[in-house]
Amino acid sequence: MRPILALLLLCAVCGARADELRPAYLQLTETRPDVFEVLFKVPARGGAERLDLRVEFDDSVVAQSAISDGFVGGAHLQRWTLQRPGGLAGTQLGMTGPAALRTETLLRVQYRDGSALVHRLTPEAPRYVVEPQPGLWQVVSTYLVLGVEHILIGLDHLLFVLVLLLMVDGTRKLVATITAFTVAHSITLSLAALDLVRVPVPPVEACIALSIVFVAAEIVHRERGLPSLTARRPWIVAFTFGLLHGLGFAAALGEIGLPQSAVPAALLFFNVGVEIGQLLFVAAVLLFGWVARQALRSEPPRWREVPAYAVGALAMFWVIERTAGFWA
């Protein structure tokens, strides 16, 4: 059961292109009445090539400055200023270009009073009519959905949860391990999102991949009769690496930003969304495992090393790739 599940997930991971999973980011910041500064960040492909993705506004929006652009840290940035009488509420914007068919864009409209509107433009719904300034309920629902979506497209986080499930035997150990991971990443997510802890993102991403390699290696040791502290007390490892994964969640939240008028609510419900997505993934894995057990009845012992090697190899590739990026 476990090998089949892990290999299916691994095939899905290997079939996805990294650039297609990285969202673009569009921020509109109100600098004075009816005037907005635009920041459009598009994932880069290689050193000097960007995804073919463009933003279009309706005719009521007028550009007030020329576009300045350049490549920064694996992304292409464009900046300009626009104006619309009466503000942006009611205007329509959308994503165009070939990349719009496969790339999501996070839209954030920041107003001078500290409130913010966040919306996700998807390939299925690439156009959006800007709503009036958001109330508390809109902030809660938006960040809840963003939290769920982030964990479900965060392949490295899902693989770490998967290897934890492969490592743990028994319901009590499983509950303790998942709880420890949840508590840990909630702590560091909150601290980093509130700017109380600052850690460079590239090393964090490399260490997250390394955490998957570590647990995958521990699974192999256990199957060969060499149990360690990880096998006996998996919640300790889950808590330790959970602190690291929380910093990764915070980096994603940092790209979206928090509305200054509702920081506690946005942070809380983004975290709740992450937990809901994580529980959905765990439930799906356990359900698949139960069905597979009923169908297969038995599992050759040596097969248990196959998913550990497969997931560990992929994670090691990420470690090398992300470490190499330090000097790119």
Side-chain angles (χ1 to χ4, degrees):
M1 178 274 294
R2 289 171 175 169
I4 294 174
L5 172 62
L7 289 174
L8 285 175
L9 182 60
L10 184 62
C11 289
V13 171
C14 292
R17 292 188 53 168
D19 288 334
E20 294 174 359
L21 294 173
R22 295 166 57 198
Y25 179 65
L26 175 63
Q27 178 165 307
L28 309 175
T29 304
E30 186 179 30
T31 55
R32 58 183 188 274
D34 302 341
V35 176
F36 291 81
E37 183 179 282
V38 182
L39 169 64
F40 188 34
K41 179 180 178 182
V42 179
R45 300 176 63 180
E49 182 183 1
R50 52 164 278 175
L51 295 181
D52 189 358
L53 184 68
R54 299 178 295 278
V55 57
E56 287 187 353
F57 296 90
D58 64 28
D59 294 338
S60 63
V61 177
V62 179
Q64 293 292 298
S65 69
I67 296 176
S68 63
D69 62 354
F71 289 90
V72 178
H76 183 261
L77 271 61
Q78 293 181 318
R79 296 178 184 271
W80 72 98
T81 302
L82 57 79
Q83 182 179 26
R84 182 178 187 265
L88 290 178
T91 190
Q92 181 175 255
L93 58 86
M95 296 297 123
T96 63
L101 299 176
R102 62 181 186 275
T103 305
E104 294 187 347
T105 301
L106 291 174
L107 166 67
R108 175 181 170 85
V109 182
Q110 179 71 53
Y111 295 97
R112 290 192 302 159
D113 64 1
S115 63
L117 183 153
V118 179
H119 181 76
R120 194 179 215 101
L121 297 161
T122 66
E124 296 76 25
R127 306 199 71 80
Y128 173 64
V129 176
V130 179
E131 301 173 14
Q133 289 182 240
L136 180 61
W137 171 245
Q138 187 177 23
V139 171
V140 166
S141 59
T142 297
Y143 278 84
L144 180 68
V145 172
L146 286 172
V148 174
E149 291 182 345
H150 176 69
I151 184 66
L152 293 181
I153 66 172
L155 298 176
D156 46 3
H157 300 298
L158 292 183
L159 281 183
F160 183 77
V161 173
L162 177 62
V163 291
L164 285 179
L165 294 177
L166 293 173
M167 170 64 71
V168 176
D169 290 319
T171 303
R172 290 180 63 183
K173 274 189 177 182
L174 175 62
V175 171
T177 301
I178 296 301
T179 300
F181 182 62
T182 297
V183 170
H185 71 62
S186 297
I187 291 172
T188 47
L189 167 59
S190 300
L191 292 176
L194 294 174
D195 210 21
L196 298 176
V197 172
R198 293 185 182 182
V199 180
V201 175
V204 168
E205 292 182 338
C207 289
I208 286 174
L210 194 59
S211 71
I212 302 171
V213 176
F214 176 83
V215 179
E218 291 292 273
I219 293 172
V220 174
H221 293 159
R222 183 198 63 183
E223 295 304 318
R224 295 184 177 183
L226 301 170
S228 62
L229 179 63
T230 305
R232 296 192 304 270
R233 302 286 189 272
W235 52 86
I236 296 177
V237 172
F239 184 86
T240 302
F241 286 127
L243 295 173
L244 195 63
H245 283 251
L247 296 174
F249 293 138
L253 182 58
E255 291 189 354
I256 303 169
L258 291 170
Q260 295 305 305
S261 60
V263 170
L267 178 57
L268 171 63
F269 282 91
F270 181 83
N271 200 20
V272 170
V274 169
E275 305 317 322
I276 291 174
Q278 179 177 289
L279 290 175
L280 288 174
F281 177 73
V282 170
V285 171
L286 295 179
L287 177 61
F288 186 92
W290 181 84
V291 171
R293 254 194 317 271
Q294 301 307 308
L296 299 178
R297 296 296 179 184
S298 64
E299 177 182 305
R302 299 298 293 180
W303 281 22
R304 293 193 175 193
E305 296 182 14
V306 174
Y309 276 117
V311 174
L314 176 61
M316 195 64 226
F317 170 77
W318 286 340
V319 172
I320 296 170
E321 181 183 50
R322 294 173 182 182
T323 302
F326 295 172
W327 298 276

